[in-house]
Amino acid sequence: KLREGVLAALEEGEKAGLHEHLAMGIEDAYSDDLAPHYAALYHHYAAAGNDEKERYYAKRAGVQAAERYTNAEAIRLLNRALALTPPDDHAERFEILSQREGVLGRIGELDAQRNDLEMMTTLAEIIGDARHDASMHVGWANYYEMIGNFALSLHHANQVFQLGSGGNIPDLVAQGRYHGGRILRRGG
């Protein structure tokens, strides 16, 4: 109650400044390992009106929420990060969409997942590198497997193999092989 009373007595600008100082204090105190504090940093920078830092920590807290399977929280945070990301920051938008697409697929929001994959496809074309193309194809392979279109799932998994022939994206090639193998085991 004391905290609420003190906060109620502050002007909005003073509250924003207090939140900014609290966030900076957390960053200083825990600079060796900020990960456990991403959600708090997001909260304080949002309250401070620092859009750049809010976006940075919203994305990281969203990824953490996805890893903990707190899906609604992950989507909320990733939505906020995406809303704060400039339209011309194609690579960052792609990464946020990729994280959100995975969560949407996990909870069966297939229409929303497909929309994210379509946006990722457009961004991958703009960015024009093998890593983003392969990541997009892994997403499509997952999506098509989930809806039972094994031929298209296998097609996208094979696209990952082709993109990875240069050896510079082994993590994504492994994902492509995993999905391709799963589809072949199912008789696709």
Side-chain angles (χ1 to χ4, degrees), residues 61-138:
V63 169
Q64 282 182 334
E67 290 168 352
R68 290 189 316 269
Y69 294 91
T70 51
N71 299 318
E73 180 75 357
I75 291 170
R76 183 183 70 78
L77 289 162
L78 294 168
N79 285 346
R80 185 63 183 150
L82 191 61
L84 292 169
T85 302
D88 61 345
D89 191 345
H90 305 301
E92 184 69 6
R93 293 183 75 76
F94 183 97
E95 296 305 321
I96 295 167
L97 285 166
S98 180
Q99 290 292 328
R100 188 174 72 179
E101 174 271 322
V103 175
L104 291 168
R106 185 167 56 223
I107 63 173
E109 293 287 338
L110 299 177
D111 289 339
Q113 181 188 18
R114 182 179 183 87
N115 288 339
D116 279 3
L117 285 164
E118 289 170 352
M119 287 186 278
M120 288 169 60
T121 300
T122 300
L123 291 169
E125 290 170 2
I126 293 167
I127 296 166
D129 69 15
R131 172 161 288 284
H132 288 91
D133 285 345
S135 180
M136 174 266 302
H137 283 294
V138 167

Side-chain angles (χ1 to χ4, degrees), residues 131 168-176:
R131 172 161 288 284
N168 58 346
I169 51 172
D171 55 325
L172 293 170
V173 170
Q175 289 181 44

